[in-house]
Amino acid sequence: MTAPANNDGLMEELVGLCKRRGFIFPSSEIYGGYNGFFDYGPLGVELRNNIKHAWWRDFVQRRDDIEGLDSSIIMHPAIWKASGHVDGFSDPMIDCKESKLRYRADQLFFHPVVLDGESVGYVALVEGAGAAEQIKRAKKLRDLLDRKQSTLDEAQLAGTVEAAEASAEQREQTLGPDATAAGTLTEPREFKLMFETKVGPLADDSATAYLRPETAQGIFANYKNVVDTGRVKIPFGIAQIGKAFRNEITPRNFIFRSREFEQMEIEYFIAPEADWQGLHRQWLDTCIDWLVSIGLPRESITEDVHPQDKLAFYSRATTDLMFHFPHGEQELWGIACRSDYDLNQHQEHSGKSMEIFDEAAKAKYVPHVIEPSLGVDRTLLAILSAAYTEDEVPNDKGKAEKRTLLKFHPRIAPYKAAVFPLLKNKPELVERARALYERLQKRWNVFYDASGAIGRRYRRQDEIGTPFGITIDFDTIEKDGTVTLRDRDSCEQRRLSEDELITFLDEQIDG
Ligand code: GAP
C-alpha cells in the first residue's frame, strides 16, 4: 500500500508526523499558535536546507549562465511603488459583519436555496465545502425563514453564483458561512497583502516600508550591479533564495499557503527578439526534471497554462507546474514570461538605465525575462506528500508489522544514514560503530543509535526517511570488516566493506 487513498487523511497524517518527529511545529505554540506561521524543527530545518542546497547547486553552481544574489528583505519603498505592488498587490475580500470573519472573494460561492420550487435565497460557502455542509446551511436558512415544513430542493444547491459577481439584492438574501442571520456579507473590497513596517525613528507615513512579498524585485533592483560587476552576457539569470511575506487572508493547508515563506526565484534575462516561447518550454522541462530529480513522481506534476485573456498586461505567457497535494492539484512552481515590464518600471522610476549591451548582436536594449519562481515550503510539502508511505514488513520475530516510512530521495533526506552497533553493551561493537559514524559524519549528516532492538531502530529511521541503515555486528569485528547495509524502501540487506560503503553513499547522495 502507498499513501492512503483519502487525501484529507494524508494531510492529517503529515501534520501529525511532522509535529511528532520534529519536522514542523505551529509557530508560537506555547501561546496557542499564530495562524499562517510555522517553525521548522531539527529534522525540518535539515530537509529545508537540503532542498535549498540542491536548488542552488543545480541552478547556480552547476550552470555557467546563472549568478547568485542575496538582497535585503526590506528595500526602498520606491521599489514596491515601481513594481506596482503598492497599488496593485491585493486580494478582493468579503467581510461578515456578524462573525467578523473575512473571506477571499474568489473562494466564496453563493448557492441558491429552493424551497417547494421557490427560490428563497442563498447560502455562501467557502470553496471546497462538502455537500453535507451545503445541506446543513440550506436547512439553517429554511429555519431562519420559518419554513421548517418546506421541501428543500437539494439539486438546486449545485448551482452557484461567484461571490464577487453577486448583486446587492443577492447578498441581502445570503446566509454567510459562519453567520446566524442572512445579509451580513459585505461587497468585495481590496485588501492589501504587503506587510507594512516603519523604518527609523519617525512614525509618520514617510517611514513606511514593506516586508518583501517576493524576492524577485531584489533581483531587478540589483540587475545593473550584477551586469556591471560580473561577466554575464545575454541570456543569463540571477537567482535568489529568501524569505517573503504576504498577509494572506486565508492561510491554510498546513505550509501550503502561509504568511511567512521562502522563495527560490530566477530572473532569466533574454533578448527582446529571442525565441521566448522556445525558452519558456525549455525552462518548463528543466524545472520538471529538477522536481523529478529530488524525488517527486513525474506523473504527479501537470502543467496549467494561464489563458491569454487572464494574463497580466505585461505577461506574455505563464504556466504553473501543478502538484497533486493532499488537498488537491495546486500550483507548485510558476514559470512566467514577464517581458521587460519590471526593468522598464525601475528604469522609469529610478532614472537609471537598465539597458545592456549585447556583444553578439551589437545592440543595446532592456532585456525581457523568464521567471521560474518556486516556494521552498510548498516544495517541502510536495516532497513530504510524495514520500509518505505505509506498508507491512516482518518484525524481529518474522511477524508482519505495519510501518510508516518517508521515501525521501537520499539527496534530500535529513539524515543520509544511521549507524547501529548490533548490541550496545559490547564495547568492541560500540567502538567500531562510533568510529564509522564519525568518519561518515565528516561528509554527511548521519545518525548514531545504540538503543533498543535493531528492528525498532530501523523503524524509527524509516519514519523520518533515513535511506540507509548500517549495522556493525560480530562479523565486522571478527571476520572481514564488512558492515550490513539495509535499504529503507526494500528492507534488503547486503554486506559491504567500509570503503565500498562510502563509494555507494557518495553515488546515492551526491550523484
Ligand atoms: N515573483 C513571482 C511570484 O512571487 P507567485 O506565483 O506569487 O509569483 C511564486 O509565487 C511561488 O511562491 C508560488 O508558486 C509558490 O510556490 C510560492 N508561494 C506564493 N505564495 C505563497 C504562500 N503564501 N505560502 C507559501 N508559498 C507561496
Side-chain angles (χ1 to χ4, degrees):
M1 188 174 106
T2 54
N6 177 345
N7 277 337
D8 286 342
L10 174 57
M11 191 65 113
E12 265 173 46
E13 294 289 345
L14 289 179
V15 174
L17 175 67
C18 283
K19 171 88 171 51
R20 199 167 64 244
R21 299 310 309 265
F23 284 93
I24 304 170
F25 309 122
S27 167
S28 324
E29 203 185 3
I30 54 170
Y31 291 98
Y34 203 40
N35 199 10
F37 297 91
F38 292 91
D39 296 338
Y40 286 82
L43 292 176
V45 68
E46 292 295 335
L47 189 57
R48 219 182 146 70
N49 284 344
N50 292 344
I51 292 169
K52 291 193 279 181
H53 182 70
W55 185 90
W56 194 260
R57 190 93 191 94
D58 293 343
F59 287 104
V60 182
Q61 297 175 339
R62 285 186 178 151
R63 289 183 67 131
D64 295 333
D65 59 343
I66 300 187
E67 302 285 332
L69 178 78
D70 189 4
S71 67
S72 60
I73 287 176
I74 297 177
M75 299 187 287
H76 197 294
I79 287 181
W80 304 110
K81 187 77 189 152
S83 68
H85 283 82
V86 169
D87 298 321
F89 194 52
S90 56
D91 272 342
M93 304 302 303
I94 290 178
D95 288 315
C96 175
K97 288 181 265 183
E98 182 196 326
S99 68
K100 308 291 175 225
L101 288 170
R102 183 167 272 166
Y103 310 93
R104 272 176 64 157
D106 63 347
Q107 290 175 352
L108 199 63
F109 294 92
F110 291 5
H111 302 263
V113 176
V114 177
L115 297 179
D116 300 331
E118 181 199 351
S119 180
V120 294
Y122 300 84
V123 285
L125 291 162
V126 176
E127 188 178 37
E133 177 66 10
Q134 285 196 23
I135 292 168
K136 194 172 121 205
R137 298 298 290 165
K139 286 186 176 160
K140 170 89 186 159
L141 184 65
R142 181 175 68 178
D143 294 352
L144 278 173
L145 297 172
D146 230 358
R147 291 185 55 167
K148 285 202 173 95
Q149 310 309 324
S150 302
T151 310
L152 172 70
D153 185 344
E154 292 181 13
Q156 289 296 325
L157 285 166
T160 56
V161 178
E162 283 181 34
E165 313 273 289
S167 66
E169 195 187 339
Q170 285 171 323
R171 271 198 308 278
E172 272 311 304
Q173 301 173 343
T174 299
L175 176 65
D178 302 279
T180 58
T184 63
L185 296 177
T186 65
E187 60 185 289
R189 285 187 291 220
E190 289 301 320
F191 184 87
K192 295 216 177 299
L193 293 178
M194 276 206 296
F195 278 108
E196 281 186 14
T197 185
K198 299 279 178 198
V199 171
L202 289 177
D204 64 10
D205 284 352
S206 69
T208 300
Y210 305 95
L211 301 191
R212 66 179 176 204
E214 60 170 18
T215 68
Q217 295 306 321
I219 299 181
F220 292 123
N222 279 285
Y223 144 87
K224 256 290 163 168
N225 285 333
V226 176
V227 168
D228 293 345
T229 53
R231 46 186 180 88
V232 295
K233 55 180 196 308
I234 292 278
F236 73 95
I238 304 177
Q240 169 156 243
I241 299 180
K243 289 271 184 165
F245 304 82
R246 294 182 191 178
N247 196 2
E248 297 282 1
I249 313 309
T250 48
R252 57 180 171 163
N253 296 316
F254 198 25
I255 52 170
F256 178 82
R257 189 184 302 287
S258 40
R259 291 180 165 138
E260 174 177 339
F261 56 100
E262 200 157 11
Q263 290 185 314
M264 305 185 278
E265 296 200 291
I266 296 169
E267 299 302 330
Y268 196 73
F269 300 95
I270 60 173
E273 306 308 326
D275 167 21
W276 60 270
Q277 281 110 327
L279 287 164
H280 190 215
R281 184 65 252 167
Q282 263 181 32
W283 267 107
L284 284 164
D285 292 338
T286 304
C287 294
I288 294 172
D289 287 347
W290 188 77
L291 291 174
V292 173
S293 81
I294 57 162
L296 296 190
R298 188 173 285 270
E299 62 278 9
S300 64
I301 304 163
T302 55
E303 294 180 23
D304 178 32
V305 181
H306 291 208
Q308 280 294 323
D309 60 339
K310 292 262 159 61
L311 290 176
F313 65 92
Y314 51 79
S315 176
R316 286 168 145 186
T318 297
T319 301
D320 292 334
L321 295 183
M322 312 289 280
F323 179 77
H324 203 88
F325 287 97
H327 59 286
E329 195 160 77
Q330 297 278 337
E331 174 188 340
L332 170 60
W333 201 334
I335 297 147
C337 297
R338 288 181 67 106
S339 74
D340 53 359
Y341 172 76
D342 298 270
L343 286 182
N344 272 334
Q345 285 293 103
H346 289 303
Q347 179 166 272
E348 194 185 313
H349 284 248
S350 69
K352 303 277 181 332
S353 167
M354 294 291 156
E355 286 182 329
I356 190 169
F357 183 70
D358 182 339
E359 288 283 352
K362 300 276 176 265
K364 213 173 177 194
Y365 52 72
V366 175
H368 286 222
V369 290
I370 294 178
E371 178 192 68
S373 174
L374 174 65
V376 175
D377 313 77
R378 270 189 207 181
T379 309
L380 197 142
L381 181 59
I383 285 177
L384 277 171
S385 331
Y388 185 91
T389 309
E390 290 170 3
D391 66 4
E392 280 190 359
V393 289
N395 65 13
D396 288 339
K397 297 186 182 86
K399 247 182 97 189
E401 189 181 75
K402 265 197 168 174
R403 76 168 173 162
T404 300
L405 68 158
L406 289 171
K407 288 186 173 177
F408 291 138
H409 189 287
R411 193 174 178 202
I412 298 299
Y415 289 113
K416 309 304 180 193
V419 181
F420 313 116
L422 185 64
L423 300 168
K424 71 170 176 193
N425 51 3
K426 295 282 171 200
E428 61 278 33
L429 294 182
V430 170
E431 205 177 297
R432 186 69 175 254
R434 290 284 323 171
L436 177 60
Y437 166 66
E438 279 159 26
R439 185 175 172 194
L440 298 180
Q441 205 183 30
K442 290 201 173 84
R443 286 196 56 187
W444 300 293
N445 193 34
V446 287
F447 194 83
Y448 176 83
D449 188 4
S451 61
I454 194 76
R456 283 266 142 262
R457 283 184 261 168
Y458 285 149
R459 223 67 85 236
R460 282 203 291 264
Q461 294 305 313
D462 293 343
E463 205 188 14
I464 60 170
T466 308
F468 307 109
I470 301 156
T471 307
I472 308 294
D473 55 20
F474 291 105
D475 280 2
T476 317
I477 310 222
E478 291 161 9
K479 278 194 182 164
D480 49 9
T482 59
V483 299
T484 305
L485 176 77
R486 174 202 182 252
D487 180 88
R488 173 198 61 206
D489 303 345
S490 65
C491 297
E492 270 166 24
Q493 302 192 6
R494 62 193 170 109
R495 297 200 74 93
L496 294 170
S497 73
E498 285 192 14
D499 287 343
E500 284 168 339
L501 172 76
I502 290 190
T503 309
F504 172 80
L505 291 178
D506 192 43
E507 274 166 16
Q508 297 293 312
I509 299 161
D510 300 327

